Amino acid sequence: MTKAKSSAEKRPVFHCQQCGDCCAGRGGIFVRPEEVGDMAAFLEMDEPEFYRRFVESSPLGNRLTIANGVCVFVENNRCRVHPVKPFICRQWPFLPALLVDAEEFEAAKGACPGINPECSHADFVDAALQAGKNNP
Ligand code: SF4
Ligand code: SF4
């Protein structure tokens, strides 16, 4: 008899549906100085100009600005700085808050259609560890 596959085996834990919702930056697209340097270099721009045009301060740290409801780098539904996008963007949806808090993870399922809605928190954490998503 063939063993029935679990839900997580039928569908990957995460498969991006390209909906673009995560680029709305509702939680803040936080950037580190070295990431600003990389993005400024990619855009052939000096860092002070990059900060002036694309970064705003917040109580939790510097973050990319939002324009028309989405990250300032959304252009034709694509990321203008994709090769050097911030770690938080490369890490999504495997954010620390979702890895340590099962309720946060369940809430994220409603925001990101790429997360398998039947996936358990344990499977999500395993997938993050296997993908090395917990390391910058
Ligand atoms: S919200 Fe999820 S499915 Fe949509 S683009 Fe972002 S990662 Fe992909
Ligand atoms: S930097 Fe790119 S991936 Fe990150 S939120 Fe902005 S457009 Fe989306």
Side-chain angles (χ1 to χ4, degrees):
M1 180 186 295
T2 306
K3 186 183 164 193
K5 287 185 175 181
S6 71
S7 300
E9 285 172 328
K10 289 178 194 164
R11 180 179 158 182
V13 167
F14 171 67
H15 180 70
C16 180
Q17 305 297 308
Q18 308 286 326
C19 73
D21 190 78
C22 51
C23 292
R26 277 183 282 278
I29 310 155
F30 294 97
V31 289
R32 303 167 180 161
E34 61 271 25
E35 293 173 333
V36 167
D38 289 344
M39 288 186 282
F42 181 74
L43 296 174
E44 299 182 341
M45 181 181 293
D46 63 35
E47 289 187 29
E49 183 184 2
F50 187 98
Y51 274 103
R52 184 175 55 77
R53 291 178 56 182
F54 303 128
V55 179
E56 64 184 17
S57 60
S58 82
L60 295 177
N62 285 337
R63 61 191 182 192
L64 296 180
T65 54
I66 300 296
N68 301 318
V70 293
C71 171
V72 69
F73 289 126
V74 172
E75 189 173 77
N76 298 324
N77 291 323
R78 302 185 76 87
C79 175
R80 194 174 153 203
V81 293
H82 177 73
V84 291
K85 63 187 178 184
F87 177 63
I88 193 171
C89 303
R90 289 183 278 120
Q91 191 183 42
W92 175 263
F94 299 102
L95 302 182
L98 275 56
L99 294 173
V100 300
D101 188 330
E103 287 187 15
E104 287 280 335
F105 167 65
E106 290 301 323
K109 289 179 178 177
C112 174
I115 302 174
N116 180 345
E118 297 174 2
C119 167
S120 70
H121 187 242
D123 284 341
F124 181 72
V125 172
D126 280 349
L129 293 173
Q130 285 171 21
K133 288 284 188 177
N134 56 330
N135 295 313

